[in-house]
Amino acid sequence: MDIIKNIVFWSQINTEQKLKVLSRPILNQKKTITKTVSQIINDVRILGDDALYKYTYKFDKINLKSIKVKFDHIANASTYINKNLKKSINIAKKNITLFHASQKNSPIKLNTQIGVTCEQLIRPIESVGIYIPGGSAPLISTVLMLAIPAYLSGCKKIVLCSPPNIDYAILYAAYICNVREIYQIGGAQAIAALAYGTKTIPKVNKIFGPGNMYVTEAKSQISNLLNNTSIDMLAGPSELMIIADEHANADFIASDLISQAEHGVDSQVFLVTSSIKLANNVLNSLKSQIHKISRITIVKKSLKNSFFIITKNLLEAVAISNMYAPEHLIIQTKKPRYLLQYIKNAGSIFLGLWSPESVGDYASGPNHVLPTYGYASSQSGLSVRDFQKYISVQELTLKGLLNISKTVKMLASAEKLDGHKYAVQSRIDYIKGKN
């Protein structure tokens, strides 16, 4: 059976076909999901902890004795972790911390004109919730990617929720990232608890983290409610596009395609190349490598959503990438930095033979929480700034107000907002009367 059936020559298909090739797979969401999640959110809002216990038993088949994880259990998690795993977690933490610490901005203070002082203050979001999905393996890297920038930004309260029973590696990663409040609650009910608060779980100002379609739907619904809780982004299935030339390593490309395809059946990967020979070599390598992967069934289904695109040249490949705006972009060409200058839309970019996307997922430094579904054309990956607020301050002297008053009154008159004009004029009249 062919691993990739979707091989297209870009110059031989029309505009409609091109758009179809670059379209994302439709998420397999039933209409009942919206209604189900709405019911869960409403139950948590009204019943609080009782709803959390109920849904944990219903979905996770666990009778919780306590929602909150005891501090001693968190602090002692390190004793249950393999020393080599601990070492890897600590190296990843160091790199991620170093990169994110460089993102810190300084407050701004300047005079835009004589007597007009303007400032920009930076304040951390007071309380944040980070959601770490459960599943077949602990997502240690997601703890690091969320907790580190939250701590660096100065958030006073960082609350972590994850389905029971939480793996010791998750607890260890959270502990070394200064997270002390951890609750063993998952799914839409966890998002609702963070949004509304219960007797046990505190309400937070912003919720971060990926999840399944129920978690994503819960975040979507929460973001539309007027309850002072916002979300980071609505992350969809994983995406990878690889731009390659005849100098690329076919085995490396095949392994990169598999690494992202194994995320889930809705993942989507592309090879965009000007070399037909390379495309055939990658295809042969895929057929060989795929049998070494434990998640082979998922990979095969994901590859049905995926394409090999043959282009006339590399600049056409770049144009296709900018149109698609991938979450992850690998450029494996002889001179990858030459093409970098032409990339406009991508969540995170990996250059050259020795930069597999896997490194970015875990340990190199930049965040792996990235915009999907084409939002890389207008949004950025997660950073320290997402955990902060920027507040402007303005202070005018008497002379400053006099100098700018005509400008403001003229603009207010043009917009027919007499109250705005009068707020300035009343002060001018007062100054003139005083003199």
Side-chain angles (χ1 to χ4, degrees):
M1 185 181 78
D2 289 338
I3 299 299
I4 287 275
K5 292 184 178 180
N6 304 316
I7 300 177
V8 299
F9 290 80
W10 197 249
S11 62
Q12 296 177 13
I13 59 176
N14 60 37
T15 301
E16 185 179 347
Q17 290 170 321
K18 288 175 179 177
L19 291 174
K20 188 175 180 181
V21 167
L22 297 182
S23 64
R24 269 74 176 181
I26 298 172
L27 296 179
N28 185 25
Q29 293 189 6
K30 298 178 181 179
K31 293 180 180 179
T32 55
I33 287 180
T34 300
K35 185 178 179 180
T36 299
V37 169
S38 179
Q39 182 63 57
I40 292 171
I41 291 173
N42 194 51
D43 283 352
V44 173
R45 181 178 64 84
I46 296 171
L47 302 174
D49 286 348
D50 289 342
L52 299 181
Y53 284 111
K54 180 183 79 170
Y55 284 116
T56 299
Y57 180 74
K58 180 177 181 179
F59 297 129
D60 300 310
K61 307 304 179 189
I62 294 175
N63 268 317
L64 280 179
K65 293 181 180 179
S66 175
I67 293 172
K68 187 172 184 178
V69 180
K70 292 180 179 179
F71 176 74
D72 288 348
H73 191 62
I74 301 169
N76 294 329
S78 63
T79 60
Y80 299 94
I81 308 298
N82 175 286
K83 66 177 183 179
N84 290 325
L85 176 58
K86 274 200 288 190
K87 183 179 179 181
S88 295
I89 293 172
N90 289 329
I91 291 172
K93 176 181 180 288
K94 176 186 71 68
N95 292 343
I96 295 165
T97 300
L98 187 64
F99 184 83
H100 285 75
S102 70
Q103 296 174 341
K104 288 185 176 181
N105 288 335
S106 300
I108 297 170
K109 185 175 183 179
L110 56 88
N111 293 326
T112 55
Q113 64 182 69
I114 295 173
V116 180
T117 301
C118 297
E119 300 176 60
Q120 180 174 271
L121 307 179
I122 302 174
R123 298 286 186 265
I125 296 173
E126 192 165 343
S127 61
V128 297
I130 59 178
Y131 182 77
I132 309 300
S136 58
L139 295 183
I140 307 163
S141 58
T142 302
V143 178
L144 301 177
M145 295 293 179
L146 297 177
I148 289 172
Y151 178 75
L152 288 173
S153 70
C155 296
K156 271 175 108 176
K157 183 182 281 291
I158 305 171
V159 178
L160 185 151
C161 285
S162 190
N165 294 303
I166 302 177
D167 192 280
Y168 283 112
I170 295 289
L171 298 178
Y172 173 73
Y175 182 75
I176 64 172
C177 291
N178 302 286
V179 178
R180 299 294 182 265
E181 281 193 59
I182 300 178
Y183 301 92
Q184 45 188 348
I185 291 294
Q189 59 271 27
I191 303 302
L194 291 169
Y196 285 106
T198 69
K199 185 178 180 180
T200 303
I201 300 178
K203 169 182 164 49
V204 299
N205 300 124
K206 191 171 182 179
I207 301 170
F208 296 81
N212 62 19
M213 62 183 71
Y214 289 91
V215 169
T216 301
E217 176 62 25
K219 288 174 69 177
S220 177
Q221 291 189 27
I222 290 299
S223 68
N224 292 323
L225 298 174
L226 300 176
N227 72 329
N228 299 323
T229 299
S230 61
I231 63 169
D232 52 351
M233 65 180 75
L234 295 174
S238 186
E239 305 165 355
L240 171 66
M241 183 168 279
I242 300 176
I243 296 175
D245 61 12
E246 67 275 13
H247 303 285
N249 185 301
D251 291 335
F252 292 174
I253 291 174
S255 66
D256 288 331
L257 293 171
I258 289 172
S259 75
Q260 288 308 292
E262 73 174 348
H263 271 295
V265 296
D266 293 319
S267 298
Q268 189 174 42
V269 297
F270 290 87
L271 169 61
V272 187
T273 180
S274 54
S275 171
I276 300 174
K277 182 180 178 181
L278 176 73
N280 287 326
N281 289 341
V282 171
L283 186 58
N284 290 330
S285 185
L286 265 177
K287 292 175 181 178
S288 172
Q289 291 190 45
I290 197 171
H291 296 289
K292 302 174 184 178
I293 305 301
S294 59
R295 297 164 71 92
I296 184 172
T297 303
I298 290 174
V299 172
K300 283 184 175 180
K301 288 181 179 178
S302 174
L303 291 177
K304 290 180 180 179
N305 303 320
S306 305
F307 288 84
F308 281 15
I309 300 175
I310 312 301
T311 63
K312 290 184 293 186
N313 52 54
L314 290 177
L315 288 181
E316 185 175 58
V318 169
I320 292 169
S321 178
N322 284 331
M323 191 185 307
Y324 182 73
E327 177 190 21
H328 307 103
L329 173 64
I330 293 176
I331 304 178
Q332 199 183 127
T333 60
K334 188 175 182 179
K335 296 180 179 179
R337 284 201 170 269
Y338 172 75
L339 293 185
L340 183 61
Q341 64 185 312
Y342 299 109
I343 301 298
K344 299 176 183 177
N345 305 319
S348 190
I349 302 171
F350 303 80
L351 300 178
L353 281 171
W354 315 115
S355 307
E357 190 280 329
S358 304
V359 175
D361 269 350
Y362 292 110
S364 54
N367 212 286
H368 76 197
V369 180
L370 303 166
T372 58
Y373 256 73
Y375 286 109
S377 61
S378 60
Q379 295 181 9
S380 308
L382 202 70
S383 71
V384 168
R385 291 181 288 274
D386 292 288
F387 294 85
Q388 296 174 326
K389 302 168 295 181
Y390 293 78
I391 306 170
S392 61
V393 179
Q394 297 156 61
E395 183 179 15
L396 278 66
T397 63
L398 184 152
K399 186 176 181 181
L401 177 62
L402 288 173
N403 288 340
I404 204 170
S405 61
K406 288 184 180 179
T407 299
V408 176
K409 289 192 294 180
M410 180 63 70
L411 291 170
S413 295
E415 293 186 357
K416 296 181 171 55
L417 295 173
D418 294 339
H420 284 61
K421 179 180 178 181
Y422 182 72
V424 173
Q425 188 61 50
S426 63
R427 287 169 169 80
I428 302 302
D429 293 342
Y430 175 81
I431 293 167
K432 289 180 178 179
K434 194 173 183 181
N435 291 337

